[in-house]
Amino acid sequence: MIGLIGGMSWESSAEYYRIINEGVRDRLGPTASARCLLWSFDFAEIEALQHHGDWDALAARLVEAARALAAAGAELLLICTNTMHRVAPAIEAAVSVPLLHIADPTAARIRAGGHRRVGLLGTAFTMEQEFYKGRLTARQGLEVIVPGADDRATVHRIIYEELVAGRIEPASRAAFRAIIARLVDAGAEAVILGCTEIMLLVRPEDSAVPLFDTTALHAAAAVEMALRA
């Protein structure tokens, strides 16, 4: 049984639920669906703690969710957001149920495609802090390029002001296209959509290089692990 730590935002959690169930149906037959549990946060509370920098409180909340899912029978845990993988070590220390880190299936697919130098788009926390970039470099051997300061601010604003609210704006898609183009000019051979809402806005045709959608890759990897088990 898959345990989903979601609601951050629910827009992307709904995509996880869809992708996981479609994956199970495709593998097991037209009436099959996934055995899963969802803990859904009020993202307003999470977002406020993020922007106040209270990562200890955030870790405590996600650990509570992980323990509840494990106690309810979850055999595999997913944090349905890139940013909150900052507290992944706290969850791994608190429960014995395995946690599938979102960066790992993404990096595996990138390396399988022969790419080593990748652009990273996400929240400012994901693009600027080492918990994500460091895993991609130290554990996966990738070179990570992030946008410049102005572009990082634009990406962060669009995520929190538009995408988490389900707003898809043509001007924001154009802004992402331009930012991706600048990453390619800087040498990116591929681009990671390192926020689980970005896939709501950006499409493959918006980039001259391959895009790697962490939401889809994370959810698909969870299906593979659950069915193997």
Side-chain angles (χ1 to χ4, degrees), residues 160-172:
Y160 278 95
E161 294 182 8
E162 298 175 16
L163 298 183
V164 299
R167 288 174 49 203
I168 307 300
E169 303 288 348
S172 296

Side-chain angles (χ1 to χ4, degrees), residues 8-9 12 19 26 49-50 56 67 78 83-84 86 95 127 131 134 137 143 149 154 168 179 186 220:
M8 301 173 288
S9 67
S12 59
I19 294 165
D26 292 345
L49 290 169
Q50 287 175 341
D56 289 341
R67 285 174 169 160
L78 275 69
T83 296
M84 291 311 300
R86 171 161 172 169
V95 297
M127 291 186 289
F131 71 91
T137 55
E143 181 182 351
T154 297
I168 307 300
I179 292 167

Side-chain angles (χ1 to χ4, degrees), residues 92 101 103-104 130-141:
E92 291 172 324
H101 196 290
D104 294 342
E130 283 301 307
F131 71 91
Y132 199 92
K133 293 185 296 180
R135 190 179 186 98
L136 291 172
T137 55
R139 295 198 182 195
Q140 304 292 346

Side-chain angles (χ1 to χ4, degrees), residues 57-137:
L58 288 163
R61 293 194 180 202
L62 267 69
V63 164
E64 177 189 13
R67 285 174 169 160
L69 290 168
E75 301 159 298
L76 172 66
L77 295 177
L78 275 69
I79 306 171
C80 300
T81 162
N82 287 268
T83 296
M84 291 311 300
H85 278 75
R86 171 161 172 169
V87 305
I91 293 174
E92 291 172 324
V95 297
S96 59
V97 174
L99 175 71
L100 176 59
H101 196 290
I102 196 169
D104 294 342
T106 301
R109 186 67 64 86
I110 290 167
R111 288 189 284 103
H115 310 295
R116 289 294 180 270
R117 199 169 193 217
V118 296
L120 174 62
L121 298 176
T123 67
F125 311 113
T126 299
M127 291 186 289
E128 295 172 2
Q129 298 178 14
E130 283 301 307
F131 71 91
Y132 199 92
K133 293 185 296 180
R135 190 179 186 98
L136 291 172
T137 55

Side-chain angles (χ1 to χ4, degrees), residues 65 120 139-140 157 185 193 211 217:
L120 174 62
R139 295 198 182 195
Q140 304 292 346
R157 179 192 62 77
D185 288 343
L193 305 184
L211 299 175
L217 293 169

